[in-house]
Amino acid sequence: MPRLCQTDGLTDDQTQILAAVRTFVDEKILPVATELEHADEYPTEIVEGLKELGMFGLMIPEEYDGLGESLLTYALCVEEIARGWMSVSGVINTHFILAYMLMKHGTDEQKQTYLPRMAAGEVRGAFSMSEPGLGSDVAAVKTKATQTDSGYEITGQKMWLTNGGTSNLVAVLCKTDEGADSAYKNLTTFLVEKEPGFGEVTQGITVPGKIDKMGYKGIDTTEMVLESHQISADQVLGGKPGQGFYQMMDGVEVGRVNVAARACGIANRAFELGIAYAQQRETFGKPIAQHQAILFRLAEMATKVETAHAMMVRAARQKDAGERNDVEAGMAKMVASEYCNEVVQDSFRIHGGYGYSKEYEIERLYREAAFMLIGEGTSDIQKMIIGRSLLKDYRLA
């Protein structure tokens, strides 16, 4: 049993689920991850295996045919999956966020319609806030939903949809005219159904194709263009317009725990590769692990991995307890992503020239780690969220 990334107080069910996921990662993901990643090939067989494990319905309540597990269980599973190949965790992440938003904010009819099929992996979810001209500035959304006699008509352009091609249900944040003074209260989330694939995937919706990226390969990241897309009013998440910003931010909050978990998984794998290589590579008549410079580096790497894991677990447990965790999730995401990059770079340096070769796994991790710095909000955005909240908590009388 590895020493790092252990979690106290898990139930027998949680322990069994994590053991099954780790076995799946070791046997089905790690042996093929680098080859599939270099080919930018969608991991179809791996995804089917995740369906069989119940990963698509892990947090969906049992009444909707899911496993009814906690955010902590989900985050720990994501950590294991990202240890194998971070892109695979992305396949289930946006699906999970949409399922969470439906569980927390959907109408009874929306839950009954979508959650059982999402648990089975029949409905594959994605969510969309970003646009070509905005990322973190969510209030600047330009995609507009105009009310019509039969519902709404949506026109605009969305960007950076993870699972944009493979999904068939997308939560899309749009501007609506609610007459509110605050821009945030004029935003509405729509549940947009479409066919998987590229090109014109349904009336008024085009998914042009995959965006070519530095890392995060295999998974499809796309744009989505909406031109007079007709949608009924009962596809408004929760049935009431003007709630979109709050709904999306609630989803992103748990998403930040997820990204922290992904960063922990990448960092843990980078440490495993680094400490293994340091014992195999010899210089000056002994393994490089016996040189103090490398030994100190390994110690620092392990400490960062353990720190990030502990903060991620705390943020997940706080959300599971029904408490607000915007600060804790932001801290966990910031620390985990920054430490992930540092640990990967240290492992890369331990590998020396071989780390620059595509034959070695650390090369893939080096490119994957960069995405953790920007996914679900940059470190600078996390600092703003954390700092503003702390000023409220520590306001002088």
Side-chain angles (χ1 to χ4, degrees), residues 161-287:
L161 275 78
T162 301
N163 295 331
T166 50
S167 60
N168 48 11
L169 181 66
V170 185
V172 181
L173 187 65
C174 302
K175 180 187 295 184
T176 53
D177 186 9
E178 306 306 321
D181 294 333
S182 169
Y184 297 103
K185 295 181 180 179
N186 288 315
L187 297 176
T188 301
T189 301
F190 289 87
L191 300 171
V192 175
E193 294 186 6
K194 68 176 187 64
E195 291 297 318
F198 301 102
E200 187 171 354
V201 292
T202 192
Q203 177 273 319
I205 296 182
T206 300
V207 179
K210 292 171 62 174
I211 298 170
D212 194 17
K213 310 181 296 295
M214 178 178 79
Y216 206 16
K217 301 281 189 175
I219 192 171
D220 51 294
T221 305
T222 74
E223 299 176 63
M224 186 168 74
V225 181
L226 301 100
E227 297 178 354
S228 301
H229 173 64
Q230 306 296 318
I231 191 167
S232 63
D234 55 10
Q235 291 301 104
V236 171
L237 179 62
K240 184 179 179 182
Q243 306 296 312
F245 177 77
Y246 168 70
Q247 293 164 346
M248 283 282 182
M249 289 303 101
D250 193 25
V252 167
E253 197 171 283
V254 294
R256 285 177 178 145
V257 175
N258 175 284
V259 173
R262 285 203 252 181
C264 289
I266 296 172
N268 192 16
R269 182 59 180 167
F271 172 78
E272 290 176 349
L273 294 172
I275 198 168
Y277 186 82
Q279 295 172 80
Q280 296 163 355
R281 174 70 168 175
E282 291 190 359
T283 61
F284 307 106
K286 60 182 178 181

Side-chain angles (χ1 to χ4, degrees), residues 93-104:
N93 178 40
T94 51
H95 176 91
F96 149 71
I97 290 177
L98 176 54
Y100 175 84
M101 290 168 64
L102 276 163
M103 288 187 294
K104 294 295 182 181

